[in-house]
Amino acid sequence: MAEERRPKQCTVVLPTESMKAMAESIGVGQLQEESCAALSEEVSYRIKEIAQDALKFMHHGKRCKLTTSDIDHALKLKNVEPLYGFQSQEFIPFRFASGGGRELHFYEEKEVDLSDIINTPLPRVPLDVSLKAHWLSIEGVQPAIPENPPPAPKEQQKAESTEPLKAVKPGQEEEGGSIQKGQGATSAEAKGKKEGLMRMKPRSTHELSVEQQLYYKEITEACVGSCEAKRAEALQSIATDPGLYQMLPRFSTFISEGVRVNVVQNNLALLIYLMRMVKALMDNPTLYLEKYLHELIPAVVTCIVSKQLCLRPDVDNHWALRDFAARLMAQSCKTFSTTTNNIQSRITKTFTKSWMDDKTQWTTRYGCIAGLSELGPDVIKTLILPRLTVEGARIKSVSDGPVVSNIDKIGADHVQSLLLKHCASVIAKTRPLPDNVEQYRVDYGYLGPMLCSHVVKARAQAALQAQQVNRTTLTITQPRPTLTVSQSGIGGSGGSRTPSIIKVPSSLTLMSTRPGTPTQPSPPATKYIVMATSSGASSTQQVITLSSSSASSVTSTVASATSTLQPLVKLESGGAGSLGGSRPLQKYIVVSLPTSTSSSLESKSGVLPPSSSTSPILLEAGMKMERSDSPGASTQSPH
Amino acid sequence: MAAVQDGQLNLEVEKDIKTEITNDDSGNINANSSSPGSTSSGGKSKSPAGSGEDQQTLLAVLQFLKRNKLTESVDILRREAGLSADADDSPISESAGAGSSGAPNVGADGGDANSLLSRVSIATPAALPATAPLAPPKVVAASGGEDQPDVNVVLSAYSQQGDPVLYPLYYNGLKKFIESVLDCHRAELSQVFYPLFVHMYLELVYNNHENEAKQFFEKFSGDQECYYEEDLRILSSMSKKEHMKGNETMLDFRTSKFVLRISRDSYQLLKRHLQERQNNQIWNIIQEHLYIDIFDGMPRSKSQIDAMSGSLAGEAKRDANKAKVFYGLLKEPEIEVPLDDEDEEAENEEGKPKKKKPKKDSMGSKSKKQDPNAPQQTRIPLPELKDSDKLDKIMNMKEATKKIRLGPDNLPSICFYSFLNAYQGLTAVDFTDDSSLIAGGFADSTVRVWSVTPRKLRRVKSAADLSNIDKESDDVLERIMDEKTASESKILYGHSGPVYGISFSPDRNYLLSSSEDGTVRLWSLQTFTCLVGYKGHNYPVWDTQFSPYGYYFISGGHDRVARLWATDHYQPLRMFAGHLADITCTRFHPNSNYVATGSADRTIRLWDVLTGNCVRILTGHKGPIHSLAFSPNGKFMASGATDSRVLLWDIGHGLMVGELKGHTDTIYALKFSRDGEILASGSMDNTVKLWDTLKAFDDVELDDFTAATGHIHLPENSQELLLGTYMTKSTPVIHLHFTRRNLLLAAGAYNP
């Protein structure tokens, strides 16, 4: 291995073209090839020397990242004037350009409009250094507090639940032993354990310590108690505390039992509290919830579709609970649905089945529609839109017909507004202009006219947003057309440089458009998503969605997108999937419910969530893309 | 301590130091500069070497003048020196031999192989009486063509040159031979590969055989031990003769001989082989650039060799670690602790504790008898104790009685101080001994001090205000403080570069900081101003530390020299030179008589403060050393490096006694508990680990043989010694400290 690497070290030398470029930049033309070679060797050597010294400064600065200041200090050591103007703590984004057969990397310095700077509000003042103390360990045991890392990382929880036998393996056992020791057992004890328990399958203990029991009691009481402030604190604790995994089974049982009891008693408030607990649990990044979905999902679904959730359905706002629970359901579909558990398809089936049923009550009906529409625009498009006419007729019969019961009336009203809300945005994205009321009535029946007005409103809003989006993501959209050209093999003038645009430099620029967004999704997560999208059979669906989306958000150059656009588009779906609801779409195809795939091909109904913060993700996806485009193309053909 | 009781004496003591220093400085530096590289025989060959070098210098000057067409001066100089006109025609060949080895006049006439041989074997003078004379090294003579005396002064040795094409053949031949020898010798002889490889490569480069050098490198660099990779990388970038001039690593290889320890049997094998094969090229390199320390007895095993190797210049010579080190602790001064303990604060404040019976606890018994291994109390003049120091000692003892006894069953609690919003800029941390203050050094050149007790930091009033206060009042010490300035933290501005080292004085009145700007600064914690900037290092100062008794401090940096200072002298008292690369960390021995320095040349050296000599060279780390810690009893030392291992050392014997594996990144912090039972290590991998040092030191069996030869068998027991691992949340651990009650404090910057 080492042998493979080292020869490389020996031969890495800057290209002579760079020497020429540099010479030209200071006015020396016509540098001879020999001098270039000599220069480049010398320069490479010096640069390596500087880099080695800079590493020293990095080590003494107790960092893992080499910064520009390290280079400056290294230059200072050599009595060389440091480079001024490179003070970025982050890496410096070099842009890449080419033309006339020459390639160039440059440091982009944009012209800044002063009025922009003057008009933007001042950024927050960076906080000063402060000191905070916490217990890393108390008499050898690490307390499970937010300041410490979770005692059992998510991977370990997963491993425990998915492969319980693995823990018996000797290597693992040893590791466990050392952890045990860390937790305060003596080495002698650990040894004894090692010998004694070597062959035994470790029983996972669910005993809670006294403190944990107290905590559990406090938290559950606060969560369902009457004091809202306390509840907020308790939920915050559930959502952030890293040491909860041992209590997870209890929480899960608490919720599922709680829902069961309170649905029967129609205690709306308690149901809401319990759903908020579910939300908090799902928000906790350290918990491996998969193990307890069998308890949580039924509880949530109950809160969505139950016939009656409160004592006075005509007055109480149980609709909000249904909406909230539906969002929870959608979120868990997004995070937990896999090809093996098929949560999303099963849930979709459940919802559709009861929706289709004529005898279903309006409350349940509302829940089903809410649950489905939260799953994303594609679900709406394929499942809800075709049934709008039927549903419209039903609503009409209630509102126009004789007043049977007030409850039905209210239910129908709610269903109607729900349908309008969700469908309008989808139609606005997919249906071509103009919005003709009559045409709408023909297509969607009773709801048509109302839909039409909603759609018009939605379009106006989208246009407004698109403007903003276009402004912020200007740099992102630019490379796309060129990319398309190269993929399709139309060797234009830009053809030669397109492949390089996928390379890092340009991506760096993308990154730089939003340098300090604190809530940037981390690249590792993105990677995961991208891989997932490229692997499953679902990728075709995704491709379709996205080609349309880019067409809608970008300008006319892309509107003529042919099938060659797909790779580009897929990359976008990866990005969008991490934010909005486009990921569920993929699963939808797996369900294979009655829809017309051909229509989906034509109508291209995808919605790209206003992607203001997707830019860093795009970069990741862009790098992955090259690899994934061939499977994408192959899965495309069967459709 | 034979406490110096009056103030006058103090001055005399200082004077003593000064005179000593002036005497020592020259000798010390001289000795150091000549010892590491120049010759194997030290003093013996010195005088002839001196004259030889003089002549050589003269010749070099002559050459220079000649080249610059200053013929007149040439003539004059020649006349003055009494040289014949033809003497300067063949100077280079001479310098080729003489310049490198220090043994003069192995001349152009072919030289005497036996004399060369004897140099190699001087460590064991009886070793090679019957060596057959080698063929005269003709290559030496063949190098007359070189005409660059200025470069030659340093590089001359490489001017001897064989056919570049044959180099790989030579190397391969040796490789084949070593692979074919008996197993027991193979490991030992394999040590030769790396230095040979380096020097052959450098020879090729020096003689402008760039392509051959590259090929040679590519062919054989993969065979070298992985821990040399860093150096190989530097070597690989060096492909031109011009590169060699300014390169420090190159100079290190050149000026210091690579030290190998080889058993007599193995050495004989190697020699016989080289003689049979007439392999002069390799033989010359071995003679010129390697120092082979031959010992009698069994050849060492591969693991034994690996444990000790890895340093830039090979292992330490055996006799380098033979000097006696007084590692014992100094006697504690007799301070009477008021027996009616607890609530005696008021009494203590008066500063004159009553004379009562000496206390009866462990501290007392320790101080009764002089440790035979301890240095004399007055070996190094130490500052006398002030009343406040005595108070502090009393506090210390009181706290010590409440100290928790640690052990594998009784692990310490760890309190972690996270620096928030430090934006990757935290570079150094220190705690005061009583754990009341924390200081942090930052990359933005600031030093910040925090109080971690409710007591806030206050500044002394200004001079004008001070004149107004009643000096007779009982609470004058309170009154001089300016309440208005009370705050939890203070910022000290003054450096102009990142602050890499920081250290509190034991009495908590001063703070030292060392920085990239080449200065060490002394700050007052009364006024929170800079008192002195110690200039001397021209390059970044990586670390500094106060002596445990105050007054002295040590600093070390990029200029490879560690300096010992006294706070009231603006020039260093001692300069410790000898390391071959940056000094990365510096620590005082608990008895203040010795100083340990860790370096980027992957060695640790222990220096005697009194004489300025290097008394220990400890090799075994495979990366730059970034942390050092002495055990409280002064007997042992722990060191951590970028190779993510902690090594334990017995100072008295100069031996490695343990290796603690488990970390996965550079170890920046090491600390022994107050009683030395537990070693805590903190690393860039965001963990604090606790190790059972009692067991580690017990497990080592030090028989006489091991002690005499230095061949250690390291027990593979890292896992048993590891008592606990505590992950932080993405916070590298850069400092550790045990409070007087054995609570472990850790510090680092949260790095989201």
Side-chain angles (χ1 to χ4, degrees):
Chain A
M1 192 179 72
E3 279 170 74
E4 286 164 24
R5 251 183 302 146
R6 277 181 197 147
K8 260 192 205 160
Q9 294 173 3
C10 189
T11 51
V12 172
V13 169
L14 291 174
T16 50
E17 289 81 33
S18 307
M19 296 303 119
K20 268 189 191 147
M22 285 176 214
E24 272 173 36
S25 73
I26 54 162
V28 180
Q30 300 307 320
L31 209 57
Q32 282 183 356
E33 197 60 34
E34 272 176 36
S35 351
C36 278
L39 263 178
S40 76
E41 228 166 288
E42 177 70 13
V43 171
S44 311
Y45 171 72
R46 298 295 164 199
I47 287 180
K48 280 177 197 169
E49 249 188 355
I50 299 281
Q52 275 154 7
D53 278 342
L55 274 182
K56 262 183 207 166
F57 284 94
M58 183 192 79
H59 279 300
H60 284 284
K62 273 105 181 166
R63 276 175 282 117
C64 303
K65 193 159 98 182
L66 193 72
T67 64
T68 48
S69 59
D70 293 333
I71 308 262
D72 285 349
H73 290 140
L75 287 170
K76 208 172 142 194
L77 273 192
K78 302 257 170 223
N79 255 333
V80 180
E81 191 90 339
L83 301 168
Y84 298 107
F86 296 91
Q87 287 303 328
S88 169
Q89 283 288 314
E90 302 297 317
F91 62 98
I92 296 172
F94 278 96
R95 282 211 62 177
F96 177 78
S98 62
R102 309 194 56 172
E103 295 177 336
L104 199 64
H105 290 270
F106 64 96
Y107 177 44
E108 190 178 56
E109 286 176 293
K110 285 195 195 115
E111 273 185 33
V112 181
D113 191 351
L114 270 183
S115 64
D116 274 2
I117 294 180
I118 293 164
N119 291 332
T120 46
L122 287 175
R124 277 204 1 227
V125 179
L127 295 168
D128 197 15
V129 185
S130 60
L131 201 57
K132 187 168 185 288
H134 72 268
W135 290 107
L136 185 67
S137 142
I138 296 171
E139 288 175 2
V141 184
Q142 190 160 27
I145 48 175
E147 286 86 352
N148 286 328
K154 220 168 171 184
E155 293 77 43
Q156 191 189 325
Q157 290 178 43
K158 185 176 176 181
E160 267 171 21
S161 61
T162 50
E163 296 167 81
L165 283 177
K166 208 175 173 185
V168 198
K169 283 182 188 164
Q172 204 85 2
E173 174 69 29
E174 223 167 63
E175 258 183 47
S178 66
I179 291 168
Q180 281 283 330
K181 263 194 274 177
Q183 312 265 321
T186 65
S187 60
E189 267 174 29
K191 247 185 214 164
K193 255 185 215 162
K194 229 182 262 177
E195 285 153 13
L197 293 179
M198 200 61 145
R199 298 275 158 239
M200 257 205 283
K201 182 180 162 185
R203 218 177 29 208
S204 52
T205 53
H206 289 287
E207 285 163 27
L208 300 185
S209 68
V210 180
E211 292 84 1
Q212 283 172 321
Q213 288 175 24
L214 274 177
Y215 174 84
Y216 174 76
K217 189 164 157 274
E218 284 291 321
I219 288 285
T220 45
E221 276 174 8
C223 277
V224 298
S226 55
C227 174
E228 183 58 36
K230 252 190 178 175
R231 177 163 32 251
E233 260 175 50
L235 290 174
Q236 172 73 18
S237 168
I238 295 181
T240 53
D241 242 318
L244 288 183
Y245 78 109
Q246 277 175 319
M247 281 171 272
L248 194 51
R250 327 246 153 178
F251 277 125
S252 149
T253 315
F254 178 83
I255 291 168
S256 82
E257 288 297 315
V259 168
R260 196 173 308 190
V261 170
N262 287 299
V263 158
V264 174
Q265 297 186 344
N266 292 324
N267 193 336
L268 178 66
L270 273 181
L271 288 174
I272 292 177
Y273 299 153
L274 290 170
M275 283 304 106
R276 284 170 72 181
M277 275 180 84
V278 176
K279 171 106 174 75
L281 283 176
M282 283 175 64
D283 285 347
N284 192 323
T286 63
L287 291 178
Y288 182 75
L289 272 184
E290 276 84 339
K291 222 169 159 182
Y292 304 98
L293 288 180
H294 65 283
E295 285 188 317
L296 293 179
I297 286 191
V300 174
V301 173
T302 304
C303 287
I304 302 176
V305 299
S306 173
K307 268 182 253 173
Q308 196 177 352
L309 287 170
C310 49
L311 288 173
R312 294 167 303 164
D314 45 341
V315 189
D316 290 338
N317 187 6
H318 58 97
W319 312 105
L321 172 61
R322 292 179 200 276
D323 284 337
F324 182 71
R327 272 198 292 279
L328 272 183
M329 195 60 236
Q331 191 188 338
S332 47
C333 281
K334 206 167 68 191
T335 35
F336 303 122
S337 187
T338 63
T339 45
T340 42
N341 63 18
N342 263 336
I343 292 176
Q344 175 149 3
S345 65
R346 285 154 70 188
I347 288 295
T348 324
K349 251 180 214 163
T350 317
F351 284 150
T352 347
K353 214 168 129 196
S354 52
W355 186 28
M356 303 273 194
D357 193 345
D358 282 340
K359 294 191 193 71
T360 311
Q361 298 215 358
W362 282 106
T363 44
T364 309
R365 198 170 286 280
Y366 178 92
C368 293
I369 298 173
L372 283 174
S373 43
E374 289 295 343
L375 289 178
D378 258 31
V379 178
I380 296 178
K381 187 184 67 187
T382 45
L383 287 180
I384 300 183
L385 292 191
R387 282 189 60 85
L388 271 182
T389 332
V390 183
E391 205 58 32
R394 204 195 302 273
I395 292 168
K396 186 162 184 279
S397 70
V398 172
S399 56
D400 294 357
V403 178
V404 184
S405 85
N406 195 25
I407 293 178
D408 276 354
K409 178 94 171 57
I410 295 173
D413 279 351
H414 271 96
V415 169
Q416 181 183 329
S417 54
L418 181 74
L419 282 173
L420 289 177
K421 187 176 84 188
H422 285 297
C423 295
S425 60
V426 176
I427 294 175
K429 289 264 160 58
T430 54
R431 195 182 163 93
L433 288 164
D435 296 320
N436 186 341
V437 178
E438 281 315 306
Q439 193 59 39
Y440 269 81
R441 191 190 296 283
V442 170
D443 286 352
Y444 304 115
Y446 168 70
L447 292 174
M450 281 176 277
L451 259 184
C452 182
S453 64
H454 272 83
V455 168
V456 170
K457 234 183 272 170
R459 280 199 209 275
Q461 206 165 5
L464 200 72
Q465 264 173 7
Q467 269 180 355
Q468 287 164 352
V469 169
N470 263 346
R471 193 185 303 155
T472 50
T473 58
L474 196 61
T475 38
I476 302 167
T477 51
Q478 266 172 346
R480 276 186 206 156
T482 42
L483 184 60
T484 327
V485 173
S486 84
Q487 296 281 322
S488 60
I490 309 167
S493 62
S496 62
R497 75 167 179 235
T498 38
S500 52
I501 284 198
I502 310 165
K503 281 185 206 157
V504 193
S506 72
S507 315
L508 299 188
T509 332
L510 301 188
M511 197 89 154
S512 75
T513 56
R514 309 197 73 77
T517 320
T519 53
Q520 264 177 4
S522 58
T526 332
K527 258 181 221 159
Y528 161 71
I529 287 163
V530 171
M531 284 193 283
T533 54
S534 63
S535 64
S538 53
S539 54
T540 49
Q541 173 62 24
Q542 195 189 324
V543 167
I544 296 158
T545 325
L546 283 154
S547 63
S548 70
S549 74
S550 67
S552 69
S553 68
V554 196
T555 48
S556 59
T557 41
V558 197
S560 66
T562 54
S563 60
T564 51
L565 244 179
Q566 282 145 17
L568 157 74
V569 158
K570 193 187 318 163
L571 133 165
E572 277 219 37
S573 100
S578 76
L579 295 192
S582 79
R583 197 168 125 80
L585 312 190
Q586 311 149 221
K587 304 299 168 195
Y588 151 65
I589 281 286
V590 184
V591 181
S592 73
L593 283 162
T595 56
S596 55
T597 39
S598 61
S599 79
S600 75
L601 258 174
E602 288 160 15
S603 61
K604 298 173 178 173
S605 69
V607 178
L608 185 66
S611 61
S612 55
S613 66
T614 50
S615 44
I617 299 164
L618 282 177
L619 143 77
E620 276 296 324
M623 298 207 274
K624 277 273 177 294
M625 193 193 66
E626 282 174 308
R627 237 179 296 155
S628 64
D629 61 336
S630 60
S634 65
T635 44
Q636 172 72 10
S637 51
H639 278 272
Chain B
M1 190 185 312
V4 195
Q5 289 296 338
D6 54 338
Q8 289 301 320
L9 204 66
N10 201 9
L11 284 175
E12 290 170 33
V13 170
E14 276 166 28
K15 238 181 267 167
D16 273 358
I17 288 190
K18 257 185 266 177
T19 48
E20 272 168 23
I21 285 158
T22 41
N23 291 341
D24 285 339
D25 263 357
S26 56
N28 163 28
I29 289 175
N30 195 352
N32 275 320
S33 60
S34 65
S35 68
S38 59
T39 167
S40 54
S41 51
K44 271 189 210 169
S45 68
K46 202 156 188 177
S47 52
S51 69
E53 272 161 13
D54 274 355
Q55 196 182 13
Q56 198 190 328
T57 319
L58 264 180
L59 290 176
V61 172
L62 279 175
Q63 284 267 321
F64 177 79
L65 293 174
K66 237 181 174 180
R67 264 203 313 167
N68 289 295
K69 310 247 166 15
L70 301 167
T71 40
E72 246 175 78
S73 321
V74 173
D75 287 341
I76 294 168
L77 184 59
R78 196 174 287 157
R79 235 176 292 131
E80 287 286 312
L83 286 169
S84 64
D86 55 74
D88 60 322
D89 287 339
S90 60
I92 309 310
S93 53
E94 198 168 55
S95 68
S100 63
S101 65
N105 303 330
V106 187
D109 53 352
D112 177 358
N114 270 331
S115 73
L116 283 174
L117 267 184
S118 65
R119 255 186 287 140
V120 177
S121 53
I122 266 162
T124 49
L128 307 152
T131 47
L134 268 183
K138 290 195 186 78
V139 275
V140 175
S143 63
E146 290 295 334
D147 196 30
Q148 287 186 329
D150 44 346
V151 183
N152 267 339
V153 173
V154 175
L155 303 174
S156 56
Y158 292 123
S159 62
Q160 42 177 280
Q161 146 185 29
D163 185 355
V165 182
L166 292 179
Y167 275 56
L169 288 181
Y170 289 146
Y171 190 88
N172 240 345
L174 187 70
K175 198 169 142 191
K176 286 228 177 69
F177 161 70
I178 289 178
E179 273 163 8
S180 68
V181 298
L182 286 176
D183 281 357
C184 61
H185 299 298
R186 191 184 303 154
E188 284 208 318
L189 292 182
S190 301
Q191 299 177 81
V192 178
F193 281 137
Y194 175 66
L196 263 189
F197 170 80
V198 169
H199 287 291
M200 288 173 89
Y201 177 75
L202 288 178
E203 261 186 40
L204 285 171
V205 170
Y206 180 78
N207 291 309
N208 289 323
H209 303 299
E210 194 180 324
N211 288 330
E212 284 86 353
K214 254 182 200 166
Q215 278 165 11
F216 183 76
F217 189 91
E218 276 171 37
K219 198 162 173 193
F220 298 113
S221 66
D223 301 346
Q224 311 307 329
E225 299 282 357
C226 54
Y227 39 80
Y228 292 121
E229 201 171 320
E230 282 288 303
D231 290 338
L232 288 178
R233 196 175 298 148
I234 295 173
L235 271 187
S236 73
S237 63
M238 200 154 42
S239 55
K240 288 235 190 303
K241 190 176 174 182
E242 297 81 62
H243 295 164
M244 296 170 83
K245 264 190 232 172
N247 192 293
E248 291 151 359
T249 318
M250 221 303 300
L251 281 178
D252 293 336
F253 279 124
R254 172 60 200 89
T255 51
S256 54
K257 288 197 166 194
F258 199 95
V259 182
L260 300 172
R261 284 191 206 175
I262 291 185
S263 70
R264 184 180 308 286
D265 294 349
S266 307
Y267 179 69
Q268 297 286 16
L269 261 178
L270 177 70
K271 203 173 66 181
R272 206 173 307 136
H273 167 77
L274 290 177
Q275 284 171 4
E276 277 167 14
R277 302 286 294 272
Q278 301 278 307
N279 204 338
N280 295 327
Q281 200 66 39
I282 287 179
W283 186 241
N284 276 326
I285 289 176
I286 289 180
Q287 286 179 333
E288 298 293 335
H289 302 298
L290 307 192
Y291 176 90
I292 296 184
D293 196 353
I294 297 165
F295 62 86
D296 293 301
M298 288 286 289
R300 293 187 294 169
S301 70
K302 176 92 174 109
S303 63
Q304 280 177 320
I305 293 169
D306 278 349
M308 302 286 285
S309 57
S311 129
L312 194 63
E315 296 181 42
K317 293 169 199 168
R318 272 178 307 157
D319 46 358
N321 289 340
K322 287 283 181 262
K324 172 143 178 74
V325 172
F326 301 102
Y327 55 79
L329 300 182
L330 295 179
K331 219 159 50 168
E332 287 295 317
E334 299 282 335
I335 298 174
E336 308 304 331
V337 178
L339 269 189
D340 22 350
D341 24 28
E342 273 10 11
D343 41 10
E344 293 294 321
E345 306 299 325
E347 210 173 335
N348 293 342
E349 303 264 309
E350 289 162 26
K352 33 188 171 184
K354 298 175 210 160
K355 296 279 172 197
K356 281 195 179 173
K357 287 163 277 173
K359 62 199 172 56
K360 20 107 209 215
D361 85 325
S362 58
M363 304 283 282
S365 63
K366 206 193 285 173
S367 58
K368 263 175 207 150
K369 228 174 71 189
Q370 172 82 23
D371 184 343
N373 289 313
Q376 275 189 323
Q377 286 295 16
T378 52
R379 190 163 179 267
I380 299 290
L382 293 169
E384 63 163 331
L385 284 184
K386 293 195 291 268
D387 284 348
S388 60
D389 296 333
K390 285 179 188 159
L391 278 180
D392 200 55
K393 285 234 182 289
I394 291 167
M395 279 302 292
N396 193 350
M397 285 173 191
K398 273 189 183 170
E399 293 253 13
T401 57
K402 296 176 194 156
K403 188 164 53 186
I404 301 163
R405 283 205 72 81
L406 298 177
D409 306 326
N410 209 353
L411 293 177
S413 298
I414 308 173
C415 180
F416 200 99
Y417 285 92
S418 307
F419 287 76
L420 303 174
N421 309 315
Y423 305 109
Q424 298 238 339
L426 182 70
T427 44
V429 178
D430 195 30
F431 287 91
T432 52
D433 187 62
D434 68 349
S435 318
S436 64
L437 302 176
I438 298 184
F442 290 84
D444 61 1
S445 317
T446 57
V447 175
R448 287 161 198 255
V449 185
W450 278 269
S451 166
V452 289
T453 56
R455 228 182 127 103
K456 298 209 164 160
L457 299 175
R458 291 169 305 174
R459 207 176 287 161
V460 173
K461 284 177 180 161
S462 69
D465 291 341
L466 280 180
S467 60
N468 292 336
I469 59 172
D470 175 14
K471 285 156 195 87
E472 301 304 315
S473 73
D474 286 343
D475 58 344
V476 65
L477 286 178
E478 271 299 303
R479 290 192 180 200
I480 58 170
M481 305 313 272
D482 189 353
E483 273 308 320
K484 274 176 284 181
T485 59
S487 63
E488 269 177 24
S489 81
K490 292 252 184 277
I491 308 181
L492 306 173
Y493 296 102
H495 281 295
S496 61
V499 179
Y500 290 118
I502 205 164
S503 174
F504 279 107
S505 72
D507 61 5
R508 295 188 299 287
N509 283 326
Y510 304 105
L511 176 69
L512 273 177
S513 63
S514 71
S515 159
E516 186 270 341
D517 62 15
T519 61
V520 178
R521 281 178 187 271
L522 182 73
W523 309 85
S524 162
L525 297 181
Q526 302 292 332
T527 60
F528 291 98
T529 52
C530 182
L531 301 177
V532 197
Y534 299 95
K535 292 172 185 168
H537 292 281
N538 284 323
Y539 290 106
V541 189
W542 296 130
D543 200 7
T544 186
Q545 203 211 6
F546 254 114
S547 145
Y549 293 90
Y551 187 59
Y552 302 109
F553 65 93
I554 178 86
S555 68
H558 179 71
D559 59 5
R560 307 170 177 202
V561 180
R563 286 160 210 250
L564 179 86
W565 312 73
T567 47
D568 53 0
H569 287 63
Y570 66 91
Q571 280 183 324
L573 306 180
R574 294 281 187 280
M575 311 235 297
F576 303 112
H579 274 298
L580 299 175
D582 300 29
I583 288 174
T584 45
C585 59
T586 54
R587 281 293 171 272
F588 259 99
H589 189 276
N591 69 18
S592 198
N593 278 257
Y594 297 91
V595 163
T597 55
S599 163
D601 68 8
R602 308 186 284 270
T603 62
I604 300 158
R605 282 172 187 252
L606 192 70
W607 310 86
D608 190 333
V609 168
L610 182 70
T611 62
N613 290 334
C614 175
V615 290
R616 290 286 178 272
I617 303 176
L618 307 172
T619 62
H621 270 299
K622 318 285 191 251
I625 288 139
H626 276 279
S627 52
L628 288 171
F630 281 97
S631 69
N633 63 10
K635 246 181 121 177
F636 300 103
M637 184 163 65
S639 62
T642 55
D643 60 8
S644 45
R645 300 180 310 151
V646 177
L647 295 183
L648 302 173
W649 309 90
D650 180 322
I651 295 171
H653 297 97
L655 287 178
M656 188 194 300
V657 291
E659 178 189 21
L660 306 176
K661 287 191 231 172
H663 279 292
T664 56
D665 209 333
T666 309
I667 293 153
Y668 279 118
L670 282 172
K671 194 80 179 185
F672 281 93
S673 67
R674 292 275 166 166
D675 294 328
E677 312 97 331
I678 281 189
L679 174 70
S681 62
S683 152
M684 273 300 274
D685 63 10
N686 303 342
T687 55
V688 176
K689 283 184 194 283
L690 301 177
W691 309 88
D692 186 348
T693 43
L694 273 192
K695 189 163 154 36
F697 295 135
D698 279 352
D699 283 359
V700 177
E701 77 268 9
L702 272 184
D703 47 44
D704 289 342
F705 174 75
T706 319
T709 56
H711 305 163
I712 28 116
H713 288 277
L714 285 182
E716 271 288 334
N717 55 357
S718 289
Q719 284 313 309
E720 291 164 41
L721 298 177
L722 180 64
L723 296 177
T725 299
Y726 305 97
M727 283 283 287
T728 67
K729 213 170 177 181
S730 52
T731 312
V733 186
I734 65 170
H735 193 75
L736 291 167
H737 174 80
F738 275 97
T739 67
R740 288 170 178 173
R741 299 187 190 188
N742 262 339
L743 172 72
L744 179 57
L745 307 181
Y750 179 56
N751 190 4

